[in-house]
Amino acid sequence: MTSEPTPSPRSVFSLEGKLALITGGGSGIGFDIAQCMSLAGATVVITGRTEEKLQQASQVLGEKAHYLVNDVTDLPALKALVDDIESTYGPIDILVNNAGINLKKAALEVTDEEFNRIIQTNLNAVFALTRTCAARMVARQGGSIIMISSMAAYYGIDRVAAYAASKAGIEGLVRALAADLSRHQVRVNAIAPGFIETPMMKTAMAGDIPRRDKALGRTPMGKFGQPKDIGWAAVFLASEAASYITGASLPVDGGNSIGF
Ligand code: NDP
């Protein structure tokens, strides 16, 4: 027991005064992470390749939301992106590496070009952006970095070889970065979503009723997740409430990872 007053839940879960950068924030899970963080008080900057989508998203998010068109696979441009955000809106306190792509294809048919495209977007870009943001967080002795992983990193799921490899890389990266950065008070964690109803998931399941039924069948809660389920988990991991959590991967999957 300490003599210090216990802070209220409202204050420990609050992101008031924080600036969050969310890649791929114009749709799907990224949009809901931005919305939940914004509702928790953060100023949010969302990025993506499609200006129209970002514009519409930031209108819904309101005046504490901003957007910048950026392709994360253009690695040399990421430093300029971070410079631009920090000079306009202030220091980035929270980085959410959410932008990602999938490819549903039998492993033996995946070309080198396709494999590299998935790795470039889902892993190389994540490391490059994280390195740039983390260096500044280290200098400021504080920050929270969240990666969006996948249960494809843990389980053998058919026809997602490149995607699974990229997400398994994310899991290793999270633990290694946490080991490097924790003494500088920079926390690094992952969220491993189960099947979440987003444009990506709808494309992956399109016209594939057996795949959809199999996914539902192996989800103990018997339903798909919603993007907000990931959004609130991200708020928690970014907040003071998670101040002693680093190097973790949090499954948000309706029980999928129980493996029944
Ligand atoms: P969506 O396809 O709905 O959203 C992906 C977002 O990433 C889009 O806004 C897209 O915008 C952006 N994006 C894609 N490529 C790039 C790029 N090169 N540069 C910048 N932005 C990019 O997918 P989800 O919301 O479903 O997925 C979000 C994350 O969650 C991904 O990392 C995914 O792997 C992960 N995930 C999703 C699951 C699910 O069931 N939905 C399950 C497990 C993990 P634009 O095209 O305009 O660039």
Side-chain angles (χ1 to χ4, degrees):
M1 254 208 303
T2 66
S3 56
E4 285 177 22
T6 308
S8 74
R10 191 185 289 260
S11 74
V12 285
F13 288 99
S14 169
L15 300 182
E16 206 67 52
K18 304 285 186 196
L19 178 68
L21 165 59
I22 299 127
T23 65
S27 64
I29 289 172
F31 171 78
D32 280 74
I33 292 174
Q35 192 166 46
C36 291
M37 287 194 168
S38 176
L39 288 167
T43 297
V44 297
V45 179
I46 56 173
T47 67
R49 295 166 299 182
T50 319
E51 176 149 27
E52 198 188 343
K53 208 157 71 175
L54 291 167
Q55 206 168 30
Q56 283 173 3
S58 68
Q59 268 167 14
V60 177
L61 292 170
E63 60 187 21
K64 281 174 82 176
H66 311 279
Y67 73 85
L68 285 168
V69 177
N70 171 265
D71 183 335
V72 290
T73 63
D74 183 1
L75 306 191
L78 293 175
K79 184 182 173 299
L81 172 77
V82 174
D83 283 343
D84 197 4
I85 292 171
E86 295 211 327
S87 62
T88 313
Y89 306 111
I92 296 168
D93 302 293
I94 302 160
L95 167 64
V96 185
N97 285 298
N98 164 78
I101 53 172
N102 196 355
L103 172 72
K104 194 176 83 174
K105 200 169 183 186
L108 300 188
E109 290 168 13
V110 174
T111 66
D112 289 346
E113 189 279 323
E114 288 169 332
F115 194 88
N116 289 337
R117 186 161 49 86
I118 302 285
I119 297 293
Q120 181 75 355
T121 308
N122 294 3
L123 188 57
N124 294 347
V126 168
F127 179 64
L129 182 59
T130 298
R131 189 178 49 196
T132 303
C133 288
R136 295 160 196 230
M137 290 174 175
V138 164
R140 296 191 286 264
Q141 290 290 295
S144 171
I145 297 167
I146 298 169
M147 319 279 194
I148 305 301
S149 172
S150 167
M151 66 187 153
Y154 307 134
Y155 299 118
I157 300 175
D158 60 308
R159 289 171 285 164
V160 293
Y163 181 77
S166 72
K167 295 298 184 178
I170 289 290
E171 292 282 335
L173 192 57
V174 162
R175 288 189 286 273
L177 283 170
D180 275 8
L181 302 178
S182 296
R183 67 181 174 282
H184 302 290
Q185 310 312 314
V186 177
R187 298 183 297 107
V188 189
N189 293 293
I191 296 173
F195 299 101
I196 309 295
E197 285 186 311
T198 67
M200 179 192 280
M201 194 256 211
K202 283 174 189 148
T203 306
M205 300 284 181
D208 196 342
I209 303 293
R211 195 176 183 87
R212 196 183 157 87
D213 288 349
K214 195 170 156 191
L216 262 187
R218 59 180 286 178
T219 305
M221 289 188 79
K223 60 181 182 179
F224 292 130
Q226 298 305 311
K228 282 274 179 308
D229 297 324
I230 309 302
W232 292 121
V235 168
F236 164 64
L237 284 177
S239 75
E240 198 55 31
S243 62
Y244 201 53
I245 300 178
T246 193
S249 181
L250 176 65
V252 181
D253 62 1
N256 240 294
S257 47
I258 298 169
F260 78 114

